[in-house]
Amino acid sequence: MRYYLVGGAVRDTLLGIVPHDVDIVFDGSVEAFLREKPHARRAGSGVPVFLADGHEYIPLNGESIMADVMNRDFTINALALDADGRLYMHPDSMNDLREGVIRPVSPGIFQQDPLRVFRAARFAAVFPDFSLHDSTIPHMRACSASGDLANIAPERVGQEITKTLNEAASETARIPRPGNFLRLLAASDSLRPWFAELDGADSIPAGPERYHGSDSVLEHTARVMDRIAEIYTRNAPADRRDIPLALWMGLCHDLGKRTTAPELLPRHLKHEERGEDAALSLAARLRLPKRWEQAGRLAARLHMKGGLYGTLRPGTRVDLLQTLHAAHIAEPFFTLVAADSGDDSLPERMRSGLRTILSIHLPPELRLQGPAAGQKLRELRCQALAFLA
């Protein structure tokens, strides 16, 4: 039984990046593998994938390790390393790694597995200094035009977007451009059916020119996602778990703008209300966790209030902050608002407001009085925010 480190783990090692996902292929039967690793457990019901020792193990895809390498998606991933340090690779792998090129291994890779369309978009987001080989977008577009994207299991597409956002949050990531995920899908006509809420958004103005320049809804959304990544990179938070959620909220915040009536453009009246339903539909289609579903919905509904935080009445500010706190999305929302508005002072102002209202409690004699107690607590918190302002 021979084992090979393959794909992204080898790529990242060669690029000087600490690998996050370690995939190993084995040259032998499943029965022989299980005899060597009886503690391994199978994951999923499709291609045999086994979890053991904190890694994923899969059988060779082909009759040899070179066949496996040549069946991979992109040349920068068409790599395998054996236990003796011997490297197996596609003829273009090393040059494309040196030059920073995302190139399909062969013309048919997207037809073999249409999910690779979204994987290309992920690499464009995580490796923004890499360029796309001339053949990449035409092959992606052909796959989309064939209708094959509709046949992908929803969970696989959902996993690809969450991988993109998690890799953008990685401590070892280069300066990521998560917005490139959307840009490449739009350029290759691949937003439908999975990201249908943004299909055509590259031809809709994001808003009046004095606020959004010439950006389309799609480009504004992509820019907000990029700014969120930049804010977190600049601030280098110890706890990075909120970053993927903040990026998802950036993706969702303006979904309602795509359904604005053409005669109303470039204004997008009440897009927050329409965006809430769109965010719910998108998260449900991708089988994303409930927390992401709620975060996207609230980002769409509340981001305009967040951007106007300094002008809101105390009661509106209290309600906004309490809603965010109850949903456990206050920090990613604050980052979204800064990225969307360009006002870097907003997060600390909102944090200060949240700390203030959470410090206000009812005196013992006013507790346990049902709705009246809740109303009184809100009044006290409004007074505290009014004083803070």
Side-chain angles (χ1 to χ4, degrees), residues 11-18:
R11 176 200 69 218
D12 288 351
T13 300
L14 293 173
L15 291 173
I17 300 171
V18 177

Side-chain angles (χ1 to χ4, degrees), residues 12 25 41 77 201 227 230 277 295 319:
D12 288 351
V25 301
R41 61 183 181 85
N77 294 330
R227 288 173 191 150
E230 289 167 4
D277 290 339
D319 295 341

Side-chain angles (χ1 to χ4, degrees), residues 57-377:
Y57 292 81
I58 57 176
L60 281 176
N61 182 12
E63 296 183 355
S64 67
I65 188 58
M66 276 308 299
D68 183 280
V69 162
M70 297 303 289
N71 279 324
R72 294 194 169 268
D73 48 14
F74 301 95
T75 57
I76 58 172
N77 294 330
L79 300 158
L81 188 67
D82 69 15
D84 298 321
R86 187 180 295 108
L87 186 64
Y88 305 81
M89 59 187 175
H90 185 281
D92 293 318
S93 293
M94 292 307 295
N95 186 65
D96 286 349
L97 277 173
R98 280 193 299 266
E99 299 298 323
V101 177
I102 300 172
R103 181 203 306 259
V105 163
S106 65
I109 68 157
F110 296 112
Q111 279 69 38
Q112 292 169 15
D113 185 358
L115 185 73
R116 289 167 170 170
V117 166
F118 301 103
R119 199 163 293 155
R122 170 158 62 95
F123 294 145
V126 178
F127 298 108
D129 49 341
F130 280 38
S131 61
L132 294 170
H133 187 265
D134 291 345
S135 66
T136 307
I137 289 180
H139 289 323
M140 293 172 68
R141 188 176 289 126
C143 183
S144 177
S146 73
D148 287 344
L149 296 184
N151 299 324
I152 308 172
E155 294 82 1
R156 297 187 73 207
V157 184
Q159 287 169 4
E160 208 59 41
I161 182 64
T162 55
K163 278 184 180 179
T164 300
L165 304 185
N166 275 290
E167 288 179 13
S170 165
E171 291 181 12
T172 57
R174 304 173 182 212
I175 301 300
R177 287 291 176 267
N180 284 357
F181 186 87
L182 299 181
R183 293 184 182 103
L184 182 51
L185 293 183
S188 60
D189 301 325
S190 302
L191 286 164
R192 282 192 175 274
W194 298 104
F195 296 87
E197 289 77 7
L198 283 164
D199 187 45
D202 53 347
S203 63
I204 299 171
E209 190 168 344
R210 66 180 180 274
Y211 299 120
H212 292 282
S214 60
D215 280 354
S216 67
V217 170
L218 187 132
E219 180 57 26
H220 169 70
T221 300
R223 284 182 190 270
V224 167
M225 294 174 71
D226 292 345
R227 288 173 191 150
I228 289 170
E230 289 167 4
I231 290 169
Y232 278 113
T233 300
R234 184 169 66 242
N235 295 338
D239 186 351
R240 308 179 71 87
R241 288 176 296 179
D242 281 340
I243 306 178
L245 192 66
L247 292 169
W248 174 251
M249 293 166 72
L251 188 153
C252 291
H253 82 286
D254 267 351
L255 289 179
K257 288 184 175 180
R258 181 182 167 277
T259 58
T260 299
E263 62 270 18
L264 298 178
L265 296 174
R267 301 179 69 198
H268 293 277
L269 297 176
K270 297 185 178 181
H271 73 278
E272 309 97 303
E273 299 172 12
R274 301 190 303 275
E276 186 171 5
D277 290 339
L280 280 172
S281 295
L282 178 58
R285 185 182 310 119
L286 299 177
R287 307 289 198 272
L288 296 181
K290 288 296 182 183
R291 185 171 184 238
W292 285 51
E293 184 179 284
Q294 182 184 38
R297 176 175 62 82
L298 291 176
R301 176 157 62 92
L302 299 176
H303 71 280
M304 292 292 287
K305 287 183 179 178
L308 298 171
Y309 180 79
T311 66
L312 300 178
R313 292 175 297 183
T316 306
R317 277 185 277 157
V318 167
D319 295 341
L320 172 64
L321 294 172
Q322 289 187 160
T323 297
L324 298 173
H325 178 68
H328 305 288
I329 61 166
E331 278 299 324
F333 183 86
F334 298 162
T335 304
L336 163 64
V337 166
D340 187 32
S341 67
D343 186 348
D344 288 340
S345 71
L346 275 173
E348 188 49 45
R349 293 171 67 188
M350 298 178 80
R351 285 189 201 104
S352 177
L354 182 57
R355 287 193 296 266
T356 297
I357 67 171
L358 293 179
S359 70
I360 305 298
H361 303 282
L362 284 175
E365 65 273 14
L366 295 179
R367 298 173 188 170
L368 302 177
Q369 295 185 13
Q375 181 60 35
K376 183 59 179 177
L377 179 60

